[in-house]
Amino acid sequence: MRRMKSKCILLALSVLYATPGFTAKQAGTPDDWAIPMHKPGPYWMVLGDRAETGFADGHDSYTWDIQGWYGYDWNRLRWKTEGEGVQGESPEDAELQLLFSRMFAPYWEWQVGVRHDFEPGPTRNHFVTGIQGDAPYEFEIDAALFISEDGDASARLEAEYDLLLTQRLILQPRLEINAAFSEVPAFGIGRGINNSELGLRLRYELRREIAPYIGVSWEQQYGDTADLLKQEGEDTSETSVVVGVRFWF
């Protein structure tokens, strides 16, 4: 009898817990108060981290780095696109990633999906796996491993940090490193660390969603990749003044 009574109590609590009104209602709050917790979604977001033009000696360029997601707190569909080119010309590099991401720890998610390179030609597809999130002290990390359809493996690491000078004026150091585990001369890629980009951008948030910025970017090629560029008569190091806008919605 006692055991049956316990089962009945557990069943009643389960029914109450499963009732939306029971879970959403705060004890002692007026009925017309809004529910403190957000609805279960799905949600979406688009973030343009870099949409800029660069000015260097005889080499004015443009760059974009945009990503977005759609989904829930744990599982999301992500897309990322980035590329660059010379002003007035078609992009020299352009790629699009389509990823499934899942949160595995607070502020961290693993990602898996595909990447398609539109430029430089011929087009290539890659398998992608990586992690993205906020490290201690709020360093934003985005690391990925790429394996092309030809079996060539490469990796990319991006790290940036938002230093709030005021509530609206933000200084952002940014570092990107690309490396390859095999040489692909057809795409000007050598084995080892290929290049790095170190940037410093100062933005002012007109609104939280829109922030024009100005900064400086230094890009350096290394190793076999630098040798391949030298053979083609191209520079292996470049410093640019950049002007752009960061946005999200």
Side-chain angles (χ1 to χ4, degrees), residues 225-237:
T225 301
D227 294 339
L228 291 170
L229 289 175
K230 289 178 181 176
Q231 293 174 10
E232 297 176 358
E234 298 187 17
D235 296 330
T236 59
S237 179

Side-chain angles (χ1 to χ4, degrees), residues 1-14:
M1 185 67 183
R2 187 175 182 181
R3 189 173 180 181
M4 182 177 296
K5 185 177 179 180
S6 299
K7 287 184 177 180
C8 291
I9 292 174
L10 289 173
L11 179 61
L13 290 174
S14 300

Side-chain angles (χ1 to χ4, degrees), residues 85-187:
V86 178
Q87 290 185 20
E89 299 182 8
S90 300
E92 296 176 346
D93 292 284
E95 67 174 54
L96 173 65
Q97 297 182 39
L98 298 177
L99 308 167
F100 170 76
S101 70
R102 178 171 174 79
M103 185 171 68
F104 65 91
Y107 310 112
W108 284 97
E109 58 188 57
W110 57 255
Q111 299 169 347
V112 62
V114 295
R115 162 186 152 189
H116 181 74
D117 291 350
F118 297 94
E119 295 290 347
T123 60
R124 288 199 305 170
N125 296 310
H126 304 255
F127 168 77
V128 182
T129 181
I131 58 173
Q132 183 172 354
D134 291 344
Y137 301 101
E138 299 183 351
F139 285 91
E140 297 181 21
I141 304 296
D142 187 354
L145 174 68
F146 308 103
I147 300 177
S148 76
E149 57 196 19
D150 299 321
D152 303 313
S154 59
R156 178 183 299 159
L157 172 65
E158 298 179 14
E160 59 187 40
Y161 180 77
D162 285 348
L163 177 61
L164 274 66
L165 302 180
T166 69
Q167 289 297 317
R168 292 182 179 272
L169 193 62
I170 300 169
L171 185 65
Q172 183 194 69
R174 180 181 183 276
L175 173 65
E176 176 179 333
I177 298 175
N178 289 280
F181 300 99
S182 56
E183 188 177 73
V184 189
F187 293 94

